[in-house]
Amino acid sequence: FHIKTENLFSINKGDSISCAGVCLTVINVAKDVFAVQVSQETFKATNLNTWAVGKKINLEQAMRLSDRIDGHLVQGHVDGTVKILAINQHLNSHEIKLSYPRELTKFIAKKGSVVLDGVSLTVNSTIYQSLTVNIIPYTWKNTTFQYSKIGDFLNLEVDMIARYLNQLMQN
């Protein structure tokens, strides 16, 4: 993939960049474009197979260990995709309802954290295999959520601590 950005904020070969929530390694940089390679596993677990030329995606550089932690820890290790079921505006914010695969139920909790297309969010509610999140106006305006439509698939990363706790409990 070749990804064009208006702000090539000191991107170098070998850097990890979150591209719509997917941690990808930069293999080349030229002017306002950087290139990444994608494995078969990444294609299976994410929505990258739906990307087309001109698609807008959220980008974020990896955190340095000396950086301030804001939000929750995000790895860019996508656990699956979620489907947008509804988008409703409440005053200035947008509530998005999404369905998720049953196998991820144990990782999703009310007031817990999820990452959707690289954006860290709090789960407002969960029922059966659906969850809702609220997007404040700033986030709506500065991310790709503003382009989202019912039926779209977003990349989902579950809370890292929940993932590891589950692994510990199984073993």
Side-chain angles (χ1 to χ4, degrees):
F1 283 101
H2 289 87
I3 299 170
K4 180 179 168 116
T5 178
E6 295 171 8
N7 309 4
L8 266 184
F9 26 82
S10 69
I11 295 176
N12 298 298
K13 281 184 182 181
D15 286 357
S16 293
I17 305 285
S18 171
C19 302
V22 182
C23 179
L24 299 174
T25 302
V26 175
I27 61 166
N28 202 2
V29 181
K31 286 190 176 183
D32 58 352
V33 175
F34 65 92
V36 295
Q37 292 176 323
V38 180
S39 71
Q40 283 303 111
E41 176 61 25
T42 301
F43 270 117
K44 286 191 313 190
T46 68
N47 68 3
L48 270 67
N49 59 349
T50 67
W51 288 12
V53 173
K55 177 172 178 59
K56 295 184 183 303
I57 60 171
N58 298 316
L59 297 174
E60 188 169 4
Q61 287 184 280
M63 185 180 89
R64 291 178 181 86
L65 288 178
S66 61
D67 290 346
R68 181 175 151 245
I69 297 176
D70 189 14
H72 77 278
L73 297 173
V74 175
Q75 294 180 304
H77 300 170
V78 174
D79 295 288
T81 58
V82 292
K83 183 177 182 179
I84 298 177
L85 301 175
I87 302 173
N88 297 303
Q89 188 167 354
H90 296 291
L91 298 174
N92 289 331
S93 69
H94 289 81
E95 180 184 77
I96 302 179
K97 182 177 182 179
L98 308 116
S99 65
Y100 56 84
R102 183 174 17 170
E103 63 270 14
L104 298 180
T105 300
K106 59 189 165 198
F107 301 113
I108 298 173
K110 182 177 180 177
K111 302 301 178 198
S113 299
V114 292
V115 181
L116 299 175
D117 270 6
V119 180
S120 171
L121 297 165
T122 300
V123 176
N124 288 351
S125 66
T126 178
I127 183 166
Y128 304 110
Q129 287 174 237
S130 69
L131 66 95
T132 58
V133 295
N134 269 308
I135 312 296
I136 63 170
Y138 178 86
T139 303
W140 186 264
K141 182 180 176 186
N142 290 283
T143 65
T144 57
F145 288 122
Q146 64 185 301
Y147 307 111
S148 297
K149 301 179 304 300
I150 293 171
D152 285 355
F153 286 88
L154 306 178
N155 294 315
L156 169 74
E157 178 181 340
V158 299
D159 182 72
M160 176 177 31
I161 295 170
R163 186 185 308 129
Y164 286 114
L165 281 174
N166 179 69
Q167 184 68 27
L168 284 169
M169 299 283 288
Q170 287 182 355
N171 295 313

